[in-house]
Amino acid sequence: MQYKVIIPAAGSGSRMGAGFNKLFLKIMNSPIIELTLKVFGEDERCNEIILPIKESEQHFFHSLNLPSFIQNKITYVKGGSERQESVFNGLVSIKDTESLILVHDGARPFVTNEVIERILVKMNEHEAVICAVPMKDTIKKVIDGVVVETIDRSTLWGIQTPQAFTYKCLMEAHQKAIENGFLGTDDASLVEWNGSKVSVVNGDYNNIKVTTKEDLFFAETIYEQYRS
Ligand code: C5P
């Protein structure tokens, strides 16, 4: 099953505190975004990578150490001020409206082919599929430093990317979200809000989103494990 992937890469990474786009940070000598692009670039099922980026960072993306067959798969588009806007800009650049669309955070370099395969298989029967892992911690709702609720953990999942959608399902949800000023932290939340069913497959605990400085330490450990 062929697909296109939108990889939003136009964030500033303020929670990382690096002072520049965290996707340029290196894990064992390779920029995070280079590792992410290689996963999809080397996947024969992926026929296009749409990369929303900041115009001011173009030179960096063009200087990544990627073989030409991967560079040739990449379509650069202008990023937006929010992740959601970056994904939307990627979506409008897609000509083939019959395409299967994956959306994947640039900051998740450890997504595996197995997770992608699970998602693609499930997409045979559904219009929206995401991957997730069961929560390990007990989750409590805390307001002003005081616990107000302990939420039943058995129903809680940590949501990851890739998230897959038919073009029609994702485009409709994004357009309605824009019309109504709805802002979600992932694409599935727009699709849920728009009334569509979102199915879940198992993700991978190693498929972390590199977000804070501590994550860089874990990222190096995971990278070492994958290489060996
Ligand atoms: O900040 P966070 O890690 O949640 O961002 C998730 C992904 O969305 C990152 O890959 C980031 O580069 C991207 N993003 C974007 N445009 C924005 C904000 C974030 O493409 N305005």
Side-chain angles (χ1 to χ4, degrees):
M1 187 186 270
Q2 295 280 296
Y3 68 87
K4 298 183 188 299
V5 64
I6 301 171
I7 302 181
S12 51
S14 50
R15 284 177 288 175
M16 179 60 76
F20 53 88
N21 190 339
K22 67 179 174 184
L23 301 183
F24 306 164
L25 286 168
K26 290 184 177 172
I27 299 172
M28 302 288 187
N29 290 328
S30 298
I32 293 172
I33 189 65
E34 198 175 281
L35 297 174
T36 309
L37 288 168
K38 279 185 177 160
V39 175
F40 293 97
E42 287 167 2
D43 184 357
E44 285 177 2
R45 298 164 298 189
C46 174
N47 58 27
E48 187 179 5
I49 299 171
I50 297 114
L51 200 60
I53 60 169
K54 286 188 195 139
E55 270 175 346
S56 59
E57 293 174 350
Q58 265 178 7
H59 62 287
F60 174 81
F61 287 94
H62 289 296
S63 68
L64 289 173
N65 184 18
L66 293 168
S68 56
F69 76 91
I70 295 183
Q71 287 284 7
N72 294 341
K73 269 193 192 182
I74 302 175
T75 304
Y76 295 94
V77 301
K78 198 167 170 278
S81 58
E82 301 284 345
R83 179 190 183 281
Q84 186 171 318
E85 195 187 334
S86 293
V87 173
F88 181 70
N89 290 353
L91 202 50
V92 293
S93 79
I94 294 172
K95 312 266 180 309
D96 179 4
T97 58
E98 296 300 311
S99 293
L100 169 61
I101 312 296
L102 265 58
V103 182
H104 184 69
D105 289 324
R108 288 187 195 268
F110 303 117
V111 57
T112 59
N113 282 325
E114 287 76 16
V115 169
I116 297 171
E117 179 65 16
R118 278 200 282 276
I119 292 170
L120 295 179
V121 168
K122 195 85 168 174
M123 277 302 285
N124 283 317
E125 303 147 27
H126 296 88
E127 59 175 2
V129 176
I130 63 175
C131 58
V133 287
M135 291 306 296
K136 294 181 187 175
D137 293 323
T138 295
I139 306 291
K140 294 183 192 288
K141 188 168 176 181
V142 178
I143 297 178
D144 293 335
V146 177
V147 173
V148 292
E149 189 185 353
T150 299
I151 300 160
D152 175 14
R153 190 174 56 193
S154 66
T155 62
L156 296 179
W157 291 67
I159 304 306
Q160 304 180 333
T161 68
Q163 302 188 343
F165 311 92
T166 60
Y167 176 91
K168 184 174 171 289
C169 170
L170 188 58
M171 185 51 124
E172 197 182 287
H174 267 268
Q175 281 174 335
K176 288 224 179 110
I178 292 170
E179 281 162 30
N180 291 277
F182 179 82
L183 202 59
T185 50
D186 71 349
D187 296 276
S189 57
L190 309 188
V191 170
E192 294 151 34
W193 168 84
N194 193 35
S196 298
K197 187 171 131 190
V198 176
S199 295
V200 180
V201 297
N202 282 314
D204 185 339
Y205 284 110
N206 282 344
N207 182 20
I208 61 168
K209 183 167 70 165
V210 184
T211 306
T212 61
K213 283 208 170 76
E214 303 75 48
D215 295 333
L216 282 172
F217 169 76
F218 294 120
E220 295 202 343
T221 309
I222 296 167
Y223 188 62
E224 278 289 295
Q225 189 186 321
Y226 278 19
R227 277 208 310 195
S228 64

